[in-house]
Amino acid sequence: MDRPLLDLFARADALPRLPRLGGMARPNGVVIVGERYWAFAGVDGSLREGEMPSAPKALRRVPLVRGLLRLGSAISPIVRRDGVVRTGERWLLIAVLLAPLALFLLPSLLQTVVGVLLSVLMLAWLLRGRTLRLHGAEHRAIAAVEQGRLVSTWSGITRPSRFAARCGTNFAALVLPVAVVFDRIAWSLPAAAVAILSLSLTMELWVVIEGRTHRVARAFLVPGLLLQRLTTREPRLDETQVALRATASVLERELADL
């Protein structure tokens, strides 16, 4: 039953370079995204597949704009109509994501209070159910790709780290300090502009430091890695295999295009 999957993993483990993958955990499964494709593997054995959106090449080179495009692409599997969440959940997520842009309509004190409440609501929604363990499984599957250990990770012989330097948690940990600093510098701008520019600037910083091994770059990742101790749990082997099934779907299609 697993032979085609293991054959794919063996082939991938032997390749010197593989497509860069990302992902996100859901209470009922794991989403893995590649450069051109995404897949959602459910804990019930289901599998959903789709294609990633592609922005014009010219825009992908524009500073600040390219960061927002990359962020939008990363969350597209859960906000698009044919994505992995139900309609009601999708609109709730979109509302929570867009709400900070309207905070400028509130008094400054309420902006902070509402912002904190929205952040708590967002975390509670994202990390409910089995999400914490599946989040760790997502990191483990991606680490297995990067280390060439897909076959041994599937069997449980090796267990790559559940912590990831490229996790969105690390990005989220950078957004707040960037927003605070930028708000003080550009205090005359409305909160909506500050929120958008803070996200853009954080993405530019994120592109510079992600995957870097230099000591200074790693220092920026410390808050996010510490936060991952709260947003991940050690996954069981079957949960890791859920993430690996989504990984296999993406790799199979990505490698077929090479």
Side-chain angles (χ1 to χ4, degrees):
M1 179 179 178
D2 297 330
R3 178 50 53 190
L5 182 145
L6 291 174
D7 288 344
L8 172 65
F9 285 165
R11 175 191 170 201
D13 284 344
L15 292 175
R17 184 179 179 182
L18 291 171
R20 194 172 192 176
L21 303 182
M24 65 191 77
R26 298 273 298 137
N28 59 337
V30 174
V31 180
I32 296 294
V33 298
E35 297 172 2
R36 292 176 292 273
Y37 304 101
W38 62 266
F40 171 76
V43 295
D44 59 359
S46 61
L47 182 68
R48 297 185 63 181
E49 301 174 324
E51 296 185 5
M52 296 294 289
S54 179
K57 289 185 178 181
L59 291 179
R60 282 182 275 171
R61 298 190 183 97
V62 179
L64 299 182
V65 174
R66 62 190 177 189
L68 292 176
L69 291 174
R70 185 174 175 181
L71 182 60
S73 177
I75 65 173
S76 65
I78 62 172
V79 298
R80 60 196 300 171
R81 183 175 299 177
D82 59 346
V84 302
V85 300
R86 295 187 298 269
T87 301
E89 288 183 287
R90 185 174 73 252
W91 283 113
L92 172 62
L93 176 60
I94 292 173
V96 172
L97 289 173
L98 294 180
L101 303 182
L103 290 182
F104 71 95
L105 298 173
L106 301 174
S108 57
L109 179 60
L110 282 179
Q111 288 181 16
T112 301
V113 174
V114 174
V116 171
L117 290 176
L118 285 173
S119 298
V120 172
L121 175 63
M122 183 72 167
L123 284 174
W125 184 80
L126 288 175
L127 301 178
R128 68 194 189 280
R130 299 173 62 178
T131 307
L132 297 180
R133 291 202 305 270
L134 291 171
H135 191 192
E138 172 228 319
H139 289 174
R140 179 157 292 166
I142 294 174
V145 173
E146 296 173 345
Q147 298 170 16
R149 296 181 175 180
L150 285 164
V151 173
S152 58
T153 301
W154 175 267
S155 63
I157 296 174
T158 59
R159 297 195 304 169
S161 176
R162 80 172 200 258
F163 303 108
R166 292 195 292 110
C167 175
T169 304
N170 298 348
F171 171 79
L174 290 173
V175 170
L176 181 58
V178 170
V180 170
V181 172
F182 191 73
D183 185 51
R184 293 183 180 279
I185 296 174
W187 56 270
S188 61
L189 293 177
V194 172
I196 293 174
L197 289 172
S198 296
L199 286 174
S200 299
L201 289 170
T202 305
M203 282 302 299
E204 293 294 325
L205 175 62
W206 180 246
V207 169
V208 172
I209 66 174
E210 65 171 337
R212 301 297 192 277
T213 57
H214 192 278
R215 186 178 303 173
V216 175
R218 298 291 294 181
F220 281 96
L221 299 177
V222 170
L225 291 171
L226 291 175
L227 188 58
Q228 285 181 48
R229 296 187 176 277
L230 299 177
T231 62
T232 68
R233 292 290 184 272
E234 184 64 24
R236 302 192 306 259
L237 178 58
D238 64 304
E239 291 165 333
T240 299
Q241 290 176 339
V242 169
L244 287 171
R245 285 195 292 108
T247 302
S249 171
V250 173
L251 284 179
E252 183 175 29
R253 288 175 289 154
E254 293 278 359
L255 294 178
D257 289 347
L258 297 181

